[in-house]
Amino acid sequence: MKFKQLVAAGLMLSVANMAKSAQESEFVVSDIKVEGLQRVALGAALTYLPVKVGDEMNSFRIAQAIRSLYASTHFESIEVLRDGDVLVVKVKERPTISNIILEGNDDIKDEQLQESLDGSNIRLGEPLDKTVLTSIENGLKDFYYSIGKYNADVSAIITPLPRNRVDLKLLFEEGDAAKIEQINIVGNTIFDDATLFEQMELKFDAPWWDFLSETRYQKQTLTGDMETVTSYYKDRGYLKFDIESTQVSMTPEKAGIYVTLNIEEGEQYKVSEVELVGELLGHEDYLKLVLPITPGELYNQAEVTYTEEFISKYFGRFGYAYPTVTTIPDINEEDKTVKLTLSVDPGKRIYVRRINFEGNIGTADEVLRQSVTQMEGAWLSNATLESSKNALSRLTYMETVDFETVRLPGEDDKVDVNFSVKEQASGSFNAGIGYGDRTKLSLQAGIQQDNFLGTGKRIALNLSTTSYQKSAQISYTDPYFTIDGISLGGSVGYSEFDGESAGFIQYNSKQYSVGANVGYPIDEFNRINFGLTYSNVELFQSTSYEQTTRFYNQFVDESNPDDSIKYDSFLASVAWIRSTLNRGVFPTAGSSQRASFSITTPNSDVNYFKTEVDTKFYFPLSRNQRWSFLARLKLGYGNGYGTAYGVDQILPFNQNFGAGGNDSLRGFENNTVGPRGVQLTPSVIRDIDGNIIYGSPVNDTVTISSRSLGGNAMILGGVELIVPTPFVEADFDNSVRTSLFVDVGNVWDTEFRYDRYKDLTLNQQFNNDPLEDYSDYKLYRASGGLSVQWLSPMGPMVFSFSKAIESREGDDTKFFSFNIGQTF
């Protein structure tokens, strides 16, 4: 208001000066001169001036010209003079902002401040309007007052520079927030103070150890607490509850706050009747059956709100995207009851004209449309839109997905649906180089791209080489081979394993494999995959283990027992996959299940089957889902079927389950959990001539391998508490995850009995335990620790600190591990 008065006074003064200079006479402009221009071009200044040569000037036209020049925002002062018939306009331009400095702002980010300044046209290269700075200062002070910082001050400092430029500095003195000294609630008789204080976020007199309590006064938090208290009463039948007044007072030094709430509790009311009125489109009977409000029960405001939302969403399923549901209470004071009338106006059925995508820089639109079940030209369904959003969010190359419906001008029954997506790294890269006393030099590299060239197709190439193992595999999957969502994929792989050189399990193997798979979607959450894989395996056993000899002897050439064995297999598989996860990477809610069964065909050289079940459940612990709880369980079992060479088939030992390492049981080295290999050494007696005579079997000795041979049964599980990553903002939750975990599990062999060898002498002792304990049949293995996962541009990375809870001497316990390219 003061600024407007000053402008008006300036205009009046300018007009008076002009009238005096012009000797209060009219004249025809023969020329126009503008003096004082520096940055503004003469041509631009003349466009702001509603006067041209030949116009007749008077006091009204002069005032109009001054107003027009001020409205251009380029000038700080304007003076209009007459030199004969020449109109002379003297101006002083506003200074140009050369630099903006923000100092002392801790509670407000620079980006937020700059956004606010941009809204007021305070930016580099623009003219500075000093009057706007006053409103900005006052607005920022009001913000600090709202969060309890009553000693805060904001000053705008302008430093002149040559060529009519200035530096603008906003100096913040935030100070400390006022602490809540006491909260008083006046008028409550039904619920005591302690009960109501528990509902409020603002606290006072909190113990020193409760560092999460909010004891600083914040106006917005108090408003939220008042709404919470109101809901607490109204959800328990107190329909007329009201907070009549609120007093907030400060201590003289503005360091403490006293808050007083004056409330009127009222009486409890019960619902006498629920009536539906309006245009119900034939759904009245169904709605009456499913409405959560029950006559005879206490009035519950939360149920009323839920009912309104439920009816709105229900009609939204049929294309009525903007229904209006209003609850009209009819209170009977005599019997303290209320009749609720739900008035429903579904509005017009809305149709989708177009579905648009924005933010997908690397992904083609048609790839995203494959996951959208809402169709263009069909009526708008909120349920379908939500399921489409969830399906897009489960894509591993999507970080966030949102949508909005935009009404079309002049079209009251059509909308456009705009999906806004944010992409993330669609592939993972793994690379490593290492050296160990067992592994020697190791190299590994691989790449997996879930969105190859933006087509949504998955391709992976993995290469690995150590002193004892070499492998290579390439795979390809088209998740939308047909428009109906049928997927098609294939893989080719090769691997070599030399356990002898590594000091692990003493056998060597080579394997070639080629396979194909096809998947069929059942619905948006479930699908079934079928696969067939051919494998050619060559095994060489340099050391005979009791567990492996039975399988090995089926194929050994008696004329050349030291030669390797070879067999071919055709493995058919079927898998059921279900996922309701809210995201493809770093989910925080929902669940995923996978159950698979694979079996070799009867024409294979080996006959066996394997079945696995893997399930995960995420339970959000907070509304923003930054805290979440994960429970997981994985089961596996395999065995042989039929007979070969008169011997019952068993699971090939190279198909055994294993545990240990970051992908199964953290805290244990790879292949250290589960049954160990048993090597039997017969007793040897020589006669007087030096000839070897085998002695009694009771004098045989056994040697236990340091690594596990694996087993045909497995159980793995664990729980994980997902917590906010320290010093990392919530915006990066989709890229960084921190969790505390406990892993438990074991692997065992149901076909092999250690107790047959318990009375034999051990060549290698582990804590002098009985031999049968090495079956690990009765033992669990567990570990706990901290895991930090980071989805970097080069792929997922894992830092994990883990400690084995139960371990044996000889187990390599991992206290720290680091992986690049770990699959989650």
Side-chain angles (χ1 to χ4, degrees):
M1 182 61 70
K2 290 183 178 180
F3 171 67
K4 292 182 178 179
Q5 293 174 349
L6 291 173
V7 172
L11 290 173
M12 293 176 63
L13 182 60
S14 298
V15 171
N17 290 336
M18 177 61 192
K20 182 178 179 180
S21 300
Q23 298 178 354
E24 300 181 354
S25 61
E26 298 180 354
F27 68 99
V28 177
V29 178
S30 62
D31 194 10
I32 300 174
K33 293 183 179 179
V34 182
E35 300 177 356
L37 296 176
Q38 297 184 24
R39 179 178 54 84
V40 180
L42 176 60
L46 292 176
T47 60
Y48 304 135
L49 192 64
V51 178
K52 62 180 182 296
V53 175
D55 288 348
E56 184 175 326
M57 293 299 297
N58 52 38
S59 58
F60 173 76
R61 296 292 299 275
I62 291 173
Q64 188 181 35
I66 292 174
R67 282 195 297 268
S68 178
L69 287 171
Y70 271 121
S72 70
T73 70
H74 289 290
F75 306 110
E76 193 172 80
S77 64
I78 302 168
E79 186 178 5
V80 179
L81 302 173
R82 175 184 175 184
D83 185 7
D85 291 337
V86 177
L87 183 66
V88 180
V89 181
K90 292 185 177 181
V91 299
K92 181 180 180 182
E93 293 182 355
R94 287 176 177 170
T96 303
I97 301 175
S98 176
N99 192 19
I100 299 176
I101 302 171
L102 306 174
E103 184 176 311
N105 54 306
D106 294 328
D107 286 340
I108 308 179
K109 298 179 181 178
D110 288 356
E111 295 78 8
Q112 294 174 309
L113 281 172
Q114 192 58 57
E115 183 178 348
S116 177
L117 294 175
D118 288 344
S120 301
N121 205 34
I122 303 295
R123 59 172 65 92
L124 297 180
E126 295 293 333
L128 175 63
D129 186 352
K130 297 179 181 178
T131 59
V132 176
L133 289 180
T134 302
S135 64
I136 291 176
E137 289 175 342
N138 293 334
L140 290 172
K141 289 178 183 178
D142 290 341
F143 165 77
Y144 283 112
Y145 295 163
S146 70
I147 61 174
K149 293 194 172 184
Y150 292 97
N151 291 315
D153 188 34
V154 181
S155 302
I157 303 174
I158 300 173
T159 304
L161 298 174
R163 302 191 303 278
N164 197 28
R165 296 176 300 120
V166 293
D167 276 350
L168 174 61
K169 181 178 182 180
L170 290 178
L171 181 62
F172 296 81
E173 295 180 7
E174 295 180 332
D176 296 326
K179 183 180 179 181
I180 300 176
E181 298 292 341
Q182 189 170 348
I183 300 176
N184 300 310
I185 301 178
V186 180
N188 57 310
T189 59
I190 300 168
F191 300 109
D192 58 23
D193 289 353
T195 301
L196 298 180
F197 289 153
E198 288 179 359
Q199 316 307 317
M200 302 175 65
E201 185 176 348
L202 290 178
K203 304 292 182 182
F204 71 97
D205 196 25
W208 65 268
W209 47 264
D210 191 3
F211 56 88
L212 294 178
S213 295
E214 183 56 80
T215 59
R216 300 187 311 168
Y217 172 75
Q218 296 191 43
K219 183 178 180 180
Q220 292 179 343
T221 306
L222 177 60
T223 301
D225 285 342
M226 293 167 62
E227 294 177 356
T228 301
V229 172
T230 300
S231 298
Y232 187 79
Y233 272 91
K234 290 189 174 183
D235 292 348
R236 287 158 179 79
Y238 297 93
L239 175 59
K240 288 190 173 183
F241 173 84
D242 183 40
I243 298 179
E244 295 180 331
S245 62
T246 306
Q247 291 86 39
V248 178
S249 58
M250 289 184 294
T251 58
E253 67 278 7
K254 299 181 180 182
I257 296 289
Y258 291 87
V259 179
T260 302
L261 303 179
N262 296 287
I263 67 174
E264 177 65 33
E265 293 177 319
E267 301 287 340
Q268 276 186 317
Y269 291 82
K270 290 185 177 182
V271 178
S272 61
E273 184 182 352
V274 180
E275 182 181 5
L276 288 168
V277 298
E279 186 61 46
L280 300 175
L281 305 176
H283 300 282
E284 181 176 3
D285 293 339
Y286 173 78
L287 290 174
K288 285 183 178 180
L289 290 174
V290 298
L291 287 181
I293 304 176
T294 304
E297 294 185 351
L298 288 174
Y299 173 85
N300 189 317
Q301 181 65 47
E303 284 191 354
V304 172
T305 302
Y306 172 78
T307 301
E308 292 175 346
E309 294 176 351
F310 171 78
I311 294 175
S312 296
K313 291 180 179 179
Y314 178 77
F315 281 101
R317 294 168 55 188
F318 303 100
Y320 300 93
Y322 304 104
T324 301
V325 183
T326 306
T327 302
I328 305 170
D330 183 9
I331 300 175
N332 188 329
E333 293 292 354
E334 293 182 1
D335 57 3
K336 301 302 179 185
T337 61
V338 56
K339 174 185 176 182
L340 300 178
T341 301
L342 298 171
S343 177
V344 180
D345 179 11
K348 286 190 174 183
R349 176 172 279 184
I350 306 299
Y351 293 84
V352 177
R353 185 191 70 164
R354 185 177 298 133
I355 297 176
N356 304 308
F357 296 91
E358 61 179 17
N360 51 315
I361 301 174
T363 307
D365 277 11
E366 54 267 25
V367 174
L368 301 180
R369 291 183 187 275
Q370 294 169 349
S371 299
V372 176
T373 53
Q374 174 69 60
M375 304 299 293
E376 294 178 340
W379 71 56
L380 178 67
S381 171
N382 292 334
T384 305
L385 284 178
E386 285 293 339
S387 65
S388 299
K389 173 186 174 181
N390 293 335
L392 287 170
S393 299
R394 284 192 289 270
L395 297 175
T396 57
Y397 41 89
M398 287 295 140
E399 182 174 341
T400 59
V401 180
D402 290 299
F403 70 86
E404 64 174 348
T405 56
V406 181
R407 288 191 168 187
L408 303 178
E411 301 279 355
D412 59 355
D413 63 343
K414 292 182 181 179
V415 297
D416 282 349
V417 178
N418 296 331
F419 281 93
S420 177
V421 303
K422 181 181 179 182
E423 297 173 317
Q424 63 185 9
S426 60
S428 62
F429 168 79
N430 66 79
I433 182 171
Y435 183 85
D437 57 349
R438 291 185 179 181
T439 62
K440 306 305 180 182
L441 181 66
S442 63
L443 301 171
Q444 55 185 348
I447 185 170
Q448 177 174 316
Q449 177 61 253
D450 291 343
N451 187 20
F452 183 64
L453 299 180
T455 63
K457 298 178 177 62
R458 292 191 292 269
I459 186 170
L461 173 64
N462 286 284
L463 304 173
S464 176
T465 177
T466 65
S467 62
Y468 63 90
Q469 189 172 25
K470 298 178 178 63
S471 65
Q473 185 179 41
I474 184 170
S475 62
Y476 172 84
T477 302
D478 184 352
Y480 279 89
F481 181 70
T482 70
I483 195 173
D484 297 325
I486 296 177
S487 64
L488 182 66
S491 63
V492 177
Y494 170 78
S495 66
E496 288 186 21
F497 177 75
D498 184 358
E500 183 177 6
S501 64
F504 293 161
I505 302 301
Q506 304 293 300
Y507 77 90
N508 298 351
S509 70
K510 289 183 180 180
Q511 178 172 330
Y512 302 87
S513 64
V514 58
N517 62 82
V518 60
Y520 296 88
I522 301 175
D523 53 35
E524 61 176 308
F525 302 120
N526 298 270
R527 70 183 296 114
I528 295 180
N529 286 352
F530 298 93
L532 181 64
T533 301
Y534 164 76
S535 297
N536 175 269
V537 180
E538 180 179 2
L539 292 174
F540 174 75
Q541 185 175 237
S542 59
T543 299
S544 296
Y545 295 101
E546 294 299 292
Q547 297 99 318
T548 63
T549 300
R550 179 181 170 189
F551 174 81
Y552 197 86
N553 287 343
Q554 296 179 66
F555 303 94
V556 70
D557 184 358
E558 294 182 358
S559 62
N560 189 7
D562 295 329
D563 198 7
S564 62
I565 64 172
K566 297 180 181 180
Y567 62 86
D568 296 326
S569 65
F570 295 88
L571 187 68
S573 63
V574 58
W576 165 69
I577 304 168
R578 179 180 182 272
S579 176
T580 62
L581 299 176
N582 62 336
R583 285 200 294 266
V585 178
F586 294 159
T588 55
S591 65
S592 67
Q593 291 80 37
R594 178 184 175 90
S596 64
F597 178 78
S598 56
I599 186 171
T600 56
T601 58
N603 62 322
S604 301
D605 294 334
V606 293
N607 298 130
Y608 67 90
F609 67 89
K610 293 179 72 174
T611 182
E612 294 185 58
V613 177
D614 190 357
T615 182
K616 297 179 181 179
F617 290 91
Y618 290 86
F619 302 95
L621 302 179
S622 60
R623 289 185 178 180
N624 58 11
Q625 298 186 2
R626 299 198 72 193
W627 294 78
S628 188
F629 181 78
L630 165 63
R632 58 180 179 272
L633 178 66
K634 187 175 183 180
L635 305 172
Y637 178 77
N639 215 327
Y641 73 92
T643 60
Y645 309 104
V647 179
D648 290 340
Q649 292 277 277
I650 60 174
L651 185 70
F653 60 86
N654 64 325
Q655 293 292 328
N656 280 348
F657 296 105
N662 279 292
D663 59 344
S664 59
L665 195 59
R666 290 166 286 191
F668 294 88
E669 272 291 336
N670 292 332
N671 298 325
T672 58
V673 178
R676 304 173 185 277
V678 176
Q679 182 182 357
L680 180 65
T681 304
S683 60
V684 177
I685 300 176
R686 296 179 181 271
D687 59 17
I688 58 176
D689 297 325
N691 299 317
I692 296 177
I693 302 175
Y694 289 99
S696 173
V698 297
N699 295 321
D700 294 348
T701 59
V702 293
T703 301
I704 306 300
S705 65
S706 61
R707 297 274 172 159
S708 170
L709 194 64
N712 69 321
M714 170 191 66
I715 180 170
L716 297 172
V719 293
E720 202 157 336
L721 178 62
I722 300 168
V723 300
T725 304
F727 313 112
V728 175
E729 298 177 3
D731 296 341
F732 295 95
D733 282 348
N734 292 346
S735 301
V736 181
R737 164 165 290 181
T738 300
S739 61
L740 303 172
F741 66 86
V742 173
D743 292 343
V744 296
N746 206 356
V747 175
W748 64 92
D749 192 334
T750 64
E751 299 297 311
F752 185 79
R753 303 297 297 179
Y754 274 80
D755 54 6
R756 297 176 182 175
Y757 305 87
K758 65 180 180 179
D759 296 326
L760 302 183
T761 302
L762 279 174
N763 286 336
Q764 185 174 356
Q765 294 286 341
F766 292 94
N767 296 334
N768 295 318
D769 291 337
L771 179 61
E772 59 266 24
D773 282 351
Y774 286 96
S775 66
D776 287 335
Y777 184 79
K778 299 179 181 179
L779 293 177
Y780 72 92
R781 295 298 177 93
S783 64
L786 169 69
S787 176
V788 180
Q789 304 171 358
W790 173 38
L791 188 63
S792 70
M794 63 180 293
M797 306 177 74
V798 178
F799 300 83
S800 63
F801 301 82
S802 50
K803 176 72 170 76
I805 297 175
E806 178 171 350
S807 180
R808 295 176 178 276
E809 182 181 343
D811 285 346
D812 293 328
T813 307
K814 229 183 292 185
F815 295 90
F816 169 77
S817 62
F818 167 63
N819 291 288
I820 303 177
Q822 181 73 31
T823 302
F824 305 122

